[in-house]
Amino acid sequence: MRMIPPAIIDEVRQAADIVDIVSDYVTLQPSGRNYKALSPFTVEKTPSFIVSPEKQLYKCFSSGKGGNVFSFVMEMEKVSFPEALELVAKRAGIDISRFTKKKELHSGHEESQTNTLRWAARLYHETLNRETGKVGRNYFSAERALSDKIMQTFGLGYAPDAWDYLFTEAKRGGIAQEHLLDLGLITANKQKTSCYDTFRNRVIFPIFSVGGQVVGFGGRTLLDDPQTPKYLNSSESKLFEKSKLLYGLHVAKNEIRRLETAILVEGYMDVLALHQAGMTNAVASCGTSLTRYQAKVLHHYTKRVLFMYDADRAGQKSMMSGIDTLLSENVTPYVVILPEGDDPDSFVRREGQEKFLQFAEQNMLSFQDFQIRFFMEAGDFAQPDLKSRAIRSMAHTISLVPDRIRRELYLQELSKKLTLSLPALQELLNREESATEKKSASFENRRLVPKPQQPATSLSVLEKTFLKAVLESASYGNAVLEFAASHEEMLELPHKEAQDIFAHLIRRYHDIADHPDERIDIASEISSFSNPASRDLASGLLIDPPVSKKWLEQSDVHAENAKRCLAMFLDAFKNLILEPLVSQKNVLTEQIRVENDTEREIELSREKIILDQKIRKTSQELKKMITSILENS
């Protein structure tokens, strides 16, 4: 990838709306001039994640993470900066392909794992459209009646019936073998002397992140062999965590928001069939039982989910479990039980969109009605002891609802439906609530992300003021950076991340020093900090209110801000220079106070006199220099 000019990076960042992109991952709520949300990086009950549309930055105060739109995409999609830039540019409608086209690779190490996954998805999809993929294409088009458009939209592919088809193509393309192994695209034999393709004679379903990145694959065998697994998924990795992914969400998310409802199905083909029939708010849980994380993801887009699993008993049991999971994340579940022997794919292909929607509308059940029907069909209402256990299970479901008012309303509904007294149900609910709270606390403790380690040296108020002034000054010109660059040798900030930020800004100033009209866009620059902790610190400082709120009260806001920023920087600069000298003086004063040896006391007193003179001289020089700079600014 060619070096992308800073101006292009700035253009992409300014064209992208950080609020819009972050909204793909969390539910943002307005909070004054900013937006707030529960952290996507840790489990919390009180929102501490802040997005500033004005500054185009975010800061998570529970985990310490912060940055701009690029660093957020990097965190959420587990990609490098160039890949995040590509994703954001595509979202903003800016073509940067002239910078991202890669030359033929000579070393597989040049390719990242995300690029390897993208390459594999492209190979499988291209193979589907070749002669070697005829059997796979026939499966999709003839047996499953999928259109070319759906196959294209979801990137469907085919892995030929060969031991090393992908492996050979990867060697030809310079793809790193370790990437193929790590991502589960190839498998080493027991002796580890050779490798073979993991997916063979299978139709391929690429699995995408919510941002549209390929993170893994599902493959369905075309063999009629009971010894061969029907479905095979990529191995778990940092990129592919099946319990956190929803198949089809990258396509369905906008329609889910628009309709305020998600259709949740079990399989890849169910999603594809529903999308082809026009129900583009359908997603699947990637062949696993619905997880708390997946429910949280759904809650970002909607508070209403329509379960539509297979009609068999196994499908109904999965929905019973999923109801608890959704309710615990404040999502309201509804259920449609399809005719026996059907799944969403077969039903919609046979009946078509209109009859499918009509059936869903006429047969949609509330979660409580579904639970009652489930237990009745199982015979659990036939005897008092079984019925008591079933009612306890339904009370447990209600206890999972976070909102107390909703719990009370659901309990009243259950009382009417079962003709049981409300006090009896309330007593049962109280016991279940107590057990649920203990379990919930345990769940959150297991999943809490540890707080970032505090640096050995804490950030002083003086350093914070100094650094914030430097960062904010870039918006008003290069005067502060020019002064800082010419006096850099006088200053070494004790706090490591603070010094990293300061040194980075000085380097960037030197890059543009020959172009006086060029400015450093701090919101873009944050992505290029080599140390993530420095990026987090800078983001927090910029999200904080300005160094002086009075700036916003001036008539000529920009000019006054620039001058006040310069004054604040120069004052902090002076104090940072003097602070080590003053600390040294305090140490000497204490040594003189406790010294018993007269000669040593005299020697220390002389050192103090010299140090006092140095402090006065340095202070006078700095004061004179600052006055001159401010008078001429």
Side-chain angles (χ1 to χ4, degrees), residues 322-431:
I323 284 169
D324 287 359
T325 304
L326 287 171
L327 284 170
S328 65
E329 295 301 331
N330 217 19
V331 178
T332 303
Y334 295 84
V335 176
V336 171
I337 302 176
L338 295 172
E340 191 172 348
D342 266 321
D343 55 31
D345 172 31
S346 62
F347 189 67
V348 77
R349 279 194 288 126
R350 186 180 69 247
E351 301 294 338
Q353 180 193 31
E354 187 175 343
K355 288 187 177 180
F356 185 95
L357 290 173
Q358 186 180 7
F359 179 88
E361 185 177 349
Q362 293 173 351
N363 293 274
M364 186 168 63
L365 301 172
S366 70
F367 74 88
Q368 286 186 333
D369 286 337
F370 170 72
Q371 286 180 318
I372 292 170
R373 174 171 169 171
F374 179 88
F375 287 124
M376 288 186 70
E377 289 180 351
D380 289 342
F381 277 18
Q383 299 176 26
D385 58 331
L386 295 177
K387 188 172 183 178
S388 173
R389 188 170 62 186
I391 293 170
R392 186 177 296 110
S393 175
M394 286 186 278
H396 171 72
T397 296
I398 295 173
S399 74
L400 298 171
V401 178
D403 182 75
R404 176 165 288 277
I405 293 177
R406 287 181 62 198
R407 287 203 298 270
E408 292 296 324
L409 291 172
Y410 287 140
L411 198 67
Q412 290 173 18
E413 283 292 312
L414 190 61
S415 173
K416 293 175 185 176
K417 292 176 187 294
L418 298 178
T419 61
L420 285 173
S421 72
L422 194 58
L425 284 175
Q426 185 66 60
E427 182 183 344
L428 185 57
L429 179 64
N430 291 341
R431 290 202 300 268

Side-chain angles (χ1 to χ4, degrees), residues 20-67:
D20 183 43
I21 290 176
V22 170
S23 293
D24 280 349
Y25 303 87
V26 298
T27 305
L28 292 174
Q29 300 292 339
S31 177
R33 301 170 73 176
N34 298 326
Y35 287 84
K36 271 188 174 183
L38 293 172
S39 169
F41 309 120
T42 183
V43 176
E44 62 182 12
K45 294 182 178 179
T46 304
S48 71
F49 181 81
I50 307 295
V51 178
S52 169
E54 178 185 356
K55 297 173 182 176
Q56 290 291 297
L57 295 170
Y58 72 92
K59 178 67 179 180
C60 174
F61 289 94
S62 63
S63 68
K65 296 179 184 292

Side-chain angles (χ1 to χ4, degrees), residues 119-120 122-128 130 132-133 158-172 186 196-197 199-200:
W119 168 85
R122 191 180 303 116
L123 176 68
Y124 288 138
H125 184 64
E126 289 172 352
T127 304
L128 183 70
R130 297 173 186 162
T132 49
Y158 175 67
D161 189 10
W163 283 97
D164 59 356
Y165 174 75
L166 179 136
F167 192 25
T168 300
E169 291 294 326
K171 287 179 182 176
R172 189 176 293 121
I186 61 173
Y196 56 89
D197 290 0
F199 297 101
R200 303 184 308 280

